[in-house]
Amino acid sequence: MIIVLKKDATREQVEHIMEKVESLGLKPWLSEGVERSIIGVIGEEDMLRALPLEGFPGIEKVMPILKPYKLASKDFKPDPSEIDIGGGIKVGGNRIIVMAGPCSVEDEESLIDIAKKVKASGASVLRGGAFKPRTSPYSFQGLGEEGLRYMAEAKERTDILLVSELMDVRNLDLLMRYADIIQIGARNMQNYDLLREVGKSDKPILLKRGMANTIKEFLMSAEYVLSEGNPNVILCERGIRTFEDYTRFTLDINAVPAIKELSHLPIVVDPSHGTGRWSMVSAMSRAAIAAGADGLIIEVHNNPEEALSDGDQSLLPEKFEMMMGGLRKVAEAVGRTI
Amino acid sequence: MIIVLKKDATREQVEHIMEKVESLGLKPWLSEGVERSIIGVIGEEDMLRALPLEGFPGIEKVMPILKPYKLASKDFKPDPSEIDIGGGIKVGGNRIIVMAGPCSVEDEESLIDIAKKVKASGASVLRGGAFKPRTSPYSFQGLGEEGLRYMAEAKERTDILLVSELMDVRNLDLLMRYADIIQIGARNMQNYDLLREVGKSDKPILLKRGMANTIKEFLMSAEYVLSEGNPNVILCERGIRTFEDYTRFTLDINAVPAIKELSHLPIVVDPSHGTGRWSMVSAMSRAAIAAGADGLIIEVHNNPEEALSDGDQSLLPEKFEMMMGGLRKVAEAVGRTI
Amino acid sequence: MIIVLKKDATREQVEHIMEKVESLGLKPWLSEGVERSIIGVIGEEDMLRALPLEGFPGIEKVMPILKPYKLASKDFKPDPSEIDIGGGIKVGGNRIIVMAGPCSVEDEESLIDIAKKVKASGASVLRGGAFKPRTSPYSFQGLGEEGLRYMAEAKERTDILLVSELMDVRNLDLLMRYADIIQIGARNMQNYDLLREVGKSDKPILLKRGMANTIKEFLMSAEYVLSEGNPNVILCERGIRTFEDYTRFTLDINAVPAIKELSHLPIVVDPSHGTGRWSMVSAMSRAAIAAGADGLIIEVHNNPEEALSDGDQSLLPEKFEMMMGGLRKVAEAVGRTI
Amino acid sequence: MIIVLKKDATREQVEHIMEKVESLGLKPWLSEGVERSIIGVIGEEDMLRALPLEGFPGIEKVMPILKPYKLASKDFKPDPSEIDIGGGIKVGGNRIIVMAGPCSVEDEESLIDIAKKVKASGASVLRGGAFKPRTSPYSFQGLGEEGLRYMAEAKERTDILLVSELMDVRNLDLLMRYADIIQIGARNMQNYDLLREVGKSDKPILLKRGMANTIKEFLMSAEYVLSEGNPNVILCERGIRTFEDYTRFTLDINAVPAIKELSHLPIVVDPSHGTGRWSMVSAMSRAAIAAGADGLIIEVHNNPEEALSDGDQSLLPEKFEMMMGGLRKVAEAVGRTI
């Protein structure tokens, strides 16, 4: 931690700060310059964070040096983590994992049909929402457990893995029972109670980046899960809020190499929600893989026109099949398989 | 709803769209222009929203005409709502209501001391967090029920009202028992299960704007509470995420007159979290009142240096007292009391 | 400057960095910690900035300590600057200065009419664009010198001061001749050649904040003007780009107290462009004054429906008159006059 | 144009609006609904834009239907434009064009060295700044014409094409003489006088997206150049301002497929400025190509540690060479050459 002092900080103020730091058992050193003096404190930054230093008289600003996350960082674990999601499939290795399916689960028959088709095209995981976060209370909110049962049936028939979103801690048992991967949605990225609960299991967690959250905060939310004992966190970039309005969000492909620099956790990309436009899904999926993503999560619907949510951003199975062909070539170009 | 057709939309595509709209029992009209043709559908926009029109072949874009919220809108209720928070105090009337107190509740004695002082300076409500949303799992997470008991003791002694945050639906009963106003924090603005639960009571709800949410989405979240039957929603602007980094967030004072144009619900402002700098709290509080805010929520701590969270943005009671003097003059200048 | 080393930085890399710093004649000190080591360099930060330190092997990040602007900072000049704009009027003192008028100058008669009215209501400066930055090449681009002549005529008749925008360095002489204050628009805040040219005169400059620029960059642009020798810079907050779309921009009232903390330069606020909604101009003007702004710049048009640009955000003279009444009370409440 | 009326719009207000529209020679139609009525006006939207409709009494909002740009749109020219930049090289065809070189031109010898190396690795164009937009007036501002002469010498020796930035209209002739492509930087994207001047030539223009500008505004700025008669516009995505601070800007890869949907103009990507981190340049270059970009512009320096500007984001020639190998595979995967 570097504490930058105000130009006019008094001797008393400086001493007071030094004492405070020392009272935590830390060793501060004062470095006096012509224009500004600073106090440095190396190590145990967490303890210092508890002090509201920026409010102390005589202090201009405080600059942390260490990353606020530990278990999620590459310092802690330099090699990439591979998360076993069942069926011998791992996210984070050489093979790029594709998750595909409708935004919401709507009926059993069409879900099984989609599951068969996306599996045939190369997807390993079926996505489908049983509980849906909808901006409007008047929109379709999902089928609940019934939707999960349809997913289970699709798994039974096609041997595909399942990912589904948990929104309410009261449905944790339900999701634990049905899903192979539990998704924490963007709107709940900082729902810390939910993070702690899923951290108590060892179920793989697909943690989506909040639409207003920095990469650092994203890793801090992963830290919540990891610090409870669950190492199986798969990060998911799904678009951030910016002023651009042609796309629904700005899918931040930069997050892929950034996270590869900072963390050992795998990162997948959701171009369907990230752009909100099905016409851009193929191009952005290719970009994600080229940038180093470990997987994709794509909305596919056999009848987007009838979809009860987010049909605007869904691909038809045939378009998905075609897209997968293109992705295979890009994966190969970067030395991976799909 | 206005459906703008692509320049090269075919006759078949247009007919297909018209049929789809008609199949919902609505009456579309086609208006053909030189550069673009459009299909208009007036009324019952909600039904149309269920169709993923932007994914239909032949459609370029879809423009909603009606506001997506109803109960929160001024169309529904032109006169301002006054929310009774107990003790004969109402938020939304001529009197500006001030809520003040520490970010987290830390110990009973100092809480009672703050409660006395802020009440003496003119605050009607004591704020204090028992459950705290913290970015880091390693930061102080709040005292839980113990904190609420300290607040109850402060209320007992000073007859001040209480506002505290609910983060987890499992703590709803606890909050219902202790708090006069239940706060839904910015990170939970789109935690729809939580919104629905608090909507089932008639307890006043202080709903904070999410840091990445538009004013429209803010009102949609209020709609979740209102649509469950609880009319007692107090909105709270607390800063949005922008590229500016001098302040922790960008406190959006514009939201005050904007919400007054769109909704009948009262709006209060939180300059402490919104700026993250105690030195700016007075200026931004004055600005909020001058812009028409119905209240303020301010962090006050009797020892910011020792505060276990957010001490950087807390005022000392004496500064709060001084600030209140200044606010009284501004309130008077805009024809209100405080 | 604090240089944070990578965890795995080698001895050679550290020595190489130390040598580089020393080769600039500076004295670095190395501080070794358990988790991270740092190199500190105090003083002459400008020299170090020339080195692309973040690209050096072994360096994780570089954190500047000093502010990158000097002449614009409060460190350099603790007392507020008062900018004499002519006619004995100063911006930055106790009196709040109001500039008002149409977005573009359209015809002489109506301009004189507006000038009379706004002056009667208390404005000291007539705003009016002769050269207009328009997003579309097909929109009205301003009357050019003819517009300036109309403004001169309005000044002649009403003794009001003039502010007008300079977009092209080739028109500098023209603006120097006609305007009392030269405006540099938001889109040109980082047009450094233009800044340098106006810095060579001693004409008061109204420098508008760019819509994507931080307060620090804003002060850096002021520094361009100041460093050429012109001390007469008036800053103007006019809204930044955010995701919020109810308002055209997000008028950042926080910039007012922030700039008062960082700089001695006066700051005025433009609520007309900042919000893009005339209905919000009064509320945001009151907020600006309550927050400590030294002035306002307001669009007023005697016939907004016929205005050739930005009529949506213009007030009628009668509304302006009414608003000024309200502002006087707020100014008084914060101990100032208008 | 769709004009949405207020719920309480009076008959007189509606008639007034209809008359205004008719007075422009346009035909409005009124469509009355239960909750809202609207007035539609098809065609000649430009004329209507001159009216400040949102300021009219009785109008709630105005929704344009047509795109505000014409010459830049795909409606105007459905096939992709290929821009001839000299030497038989075209931007916008099957071959992806790479521009590479130092941020600023510093000395002749090293520039020639870089030119040779990047050409050998497959770059067709040498980038190099002679006039540099720098945030600080105290930073190196470029060598001016001397820098251009060094570039000319590098061209002479290696037969590489040249791109360099024009910041000041007074240097247009100089740039016309030396550069094969004139760059308009992000900070000047809305410097309309500059756009108009370069529009009067037929020199290829590399137009960079402003850091706070939407894709629509980006195309409007291209329209300024096109409408003056110069069809040779190459667009360049270089990152937008967001709250994310790990990268210097958020490079918006989504802009690539978006522009391909909206415009016939070629689009290249600048990952060096867009991310501000050389370690991310390769990954983001691959992403850009995978997404469909027509070219790249990359900072390469033979001694980033000594670079006078932006060394943090420069690659060494050897790293550039390696990166080009990877890009070739990705280009091939998407059916293109490099």
Side-chain angles (χ1 to χ4, degrees), chain D residues 74-298:
Chain D
K74 240 180 151 170
D75 283 356
F76 177 77
K77 181 172 182 301
D79 297 322
S81 288
E82 298 188 28
I83 313 296
D84 192 330
I85 56 174
I89 296 174
K90 287 179 178 181
V91 181
N94 187 270
R95 182 173 161 207
I96 291 160
I97 302 305
V98 179
M99 315 183 190
C103 183
S104 333
V105 175
E106 289 157 25
D107 71 280
E108 189 172 331
E109 197 184 347
S110 74
L111 186 70
I112 292 169
D113 181 51
I114 295 173
K116 281 182 190 163
K117 286 176 174 160
V118 299
K119 183 148 201 218
S121 301
S124 316
V125 182
L126 179 68
R127 57 155 294 157
F131 301 98
K132 297 299 308 169
R134 304 301 303 270
T135 314
S136 165
Y138 310 120
S139 299
F140 175 61
Q141 309 275 325
L143 292 177
E145 185 169 4
E146 193 185 346
L148 291 172
R149 278 197 303 264
Y150 295 167
M151 290 188 79
E153 186 61 28
K155 179 179 181 177
E156 181 69 28
R157 303 272 200 95
T158 63
D159 204 31
I160 200 166
L161 296 169
L162 303 178
V163 59
S164 197
E165 179 168 353
L166 173 67
M167 287 168 61
D168 185 333
V169 79
R170 293 170 300 186
N171 292 322
L172 178 59
D173 289 347
L174 214 53
L175 267 293
M176 287 293 288
R177 208 151 64 231
Y178 286 102
D180 298 291
I181 305 173
I182 293 180
Q183 176 178 318
I184 302 293
R187 286 166 187 77
N188 282 314
M189 192 201 91
Q190 295 189 313
N191 184 334
Y192 301 119
D193 290 289
L194 202 58
L195 296 177
R196 261 193 294 257
E197 288 303 322
V198 299
K200 286 172 188 160
S201 74
D202 63 352
K203 182 73 86 179
I205 305 302
L206 184 76
L207 178 63
K208 290 193 144 188
R209 180 179 180 186
M211 61 183 88
N213 291 110
T214 61
I215 291 168
K216 189 162 83 178
E217 290 168 339
F218 192 13
L219 292 172
M220 289 304 288
S221 284
E223 189 85 7
Y224 260 92
V225 180
L226 299 172
S227 68
E228 290 290 335
N230 186 349
N232 299 313
V233 177
I234 302 165
L235 301 170
C236 179
E237 161 62 34
R238 50 77 72 207
I240 57 173
R241 270 275 159 90
T242 71
F243 59 82
E244 178 56 57
D245 58 2
Y246 184 73
T247 45
R248 202 165 153 205
F249 295 96
T250 296
L251 185 68
D252 184 11
I253 295 290
N254 307 279
V256 175
I259 281 170
K260 291 290 171 198
E261 288 182 13
L262 297 170
S263 179
H264 54 90
L265 296 171
I267 167 94
V268 307
V269 170
D270 177 348
S272 303
H273 285 85
T275 65
R277 290 180 170 267
W278 70 262
S279 59
M280 289 172 63
V281 168
S282 287
M284 295 311 292
S285 294
R286 289 194 304 268
I289 290 179
D294 298 302
L296 293 167
I297 178 162
I298 309 276

Side-chain angles (χ1 to χ4, degrees), chain C residues 19-56:
Chain C
E19 279 164 23
K20 274 285 177 188
V21 172
E22 282 164 355
S23 75
L24 297 170
L26 301 172
K27 286 213 188 97
W29 34 262
L30 176 66
S31 173
E32 302 189 33
V34 181
E35 296 200 54
R36 280 289 183 285
S37 295
I38 65 170
I39 295 173
V41 192
I42 299 283
E44 301 299 322
E45 207 149 282
D46 285 340
M47 293 176 59
L48 262 186
R49 271 192 196 116
L51 287 184
L53 288 166
E54 306 225 359
F56 276 53

Side-chain angles (χ1 to χ4, degrees), chain A residues 16 20 46 49-57 60 68-71 132-138 141 167-171 187-188 190-194 196-197 211-214 217 220-221 223-224 227 241 277-278 303-312, chain B residues 16 20 46 50-57 60 68-71 132-139 141 167-171 187-188 190-194 196-197 211-214 217 220-221 223-224 227 241 277-278 303-312:
Chain A
H16 175 69
K20 275 284 177 189
D46 286 340
R49 271 192 196 115
L51 287 184
L53 288 166
E54 307 225 359
F56 275 53
E60 184 170 297
Y69 44 86
K70 286 178 203 304
L71 307 175
K132 297 298 308 168
R134 303 302 302 272
T135 315
S136 166
Y138 311 122
Q141 309 275 325
M167 289 168 61
D168 186 332
V169 80
R170 295 171 299 186
N171 292 321
R187 286 166 187 78
N188 282 312
Q190 295 188 315
N191 184 334
Y192 301 119
D193 291 290
L194 202 56
R196 262 193 293 257
E197 288 301 323
M211 59 183 91
N213 291 109
T214 60
E217 290 168 337
M220 289 303 287
S221 284
E223 189 85 6
Y224 261 93
S227 68
R241 271 274 158 90
R277 290 181 168 265
W278 69 262
N303 190 354
E305 292 193 10
E306 304 287 350
L308 293 175
S309 67
D310 285 344
D312 300 346
Chain B
H16 175 68
K20 275 284 176 188
D46 285 340
L51 287 183
L53 287 165
E54 307 225 359
F56 275 54
E60 184 170 298
Y69 44 86
K70 286 179 204 305
L71 307 176
K132 296 299 309 170
R134 303 301 303 270
T135 313
S136 166
Y138 310 121
S139 299
Q141 309 274 325
M167 289 168 61
D168 185 332
V169 79
R170 294 170 299 185
N171 292 321
R187 286 165 188 78
N188 282 312
Q190 295 188 314
N191 183 335
Y192 301 120
D193 291 290
L194 202 57
R196 262 192 293 257
E197 288 302 321
M211 59 184 90
N213 291 110
T214 61
E217 290 167 338
M220 289 303 288
S221 284
E223 190 85 7
Y224 260 91
S227 68
R241 270 274 158 89
R277 289 181 170 267
W278 69 261
N303 189 355
E305 292 193 9
E306 303 288 349
L308 293 175
S309 66
D310 286 345
D312 300 347

Side-chain angles (χ1 to χ4, degrees), chain A residues 169-181:
Chain A
V169 80
R170 295 171 299 186
N171 292 321
L172 178 59
D173 289 345
L174 215 53
L175 266 294
M176 287 293 288
R177 208 151 64 230
Y178 286 103
D180 298 291
I181 304 173

Side-chain angles (χ1 to χ4, degrees), chain C residues 13 43 47 82 130 163 169 173 188 194 224 244 246 283 288 290 300 303 310 317 336:
Chain C
Q13 288 170 342
M47 293 176 59
E82 299 189 28
V163 58
V169 79
D173 290 346
N188 283 312
L194 202 57
Y224 260 92
E244 177 57 59
Y246 184 72
V300 176
N303 189 354
D310 285 344
R336 299 179 79 165

Side-chain angles (χ1 to χ4, degrees), chain A residues 312-330:
Chain A
D312 300 346
Q313 60 205 33
S314 291
L315 292 181
L316 282 166
E318 305 86 76
K319 278 182 188 140
F320 177 70
E321 165 78 21
M322 250 177 59
M323 178 182 90
M324 287 293 282
L327 295 184
R328 242 166 236 118
K329 291 183 196 159
V330 178

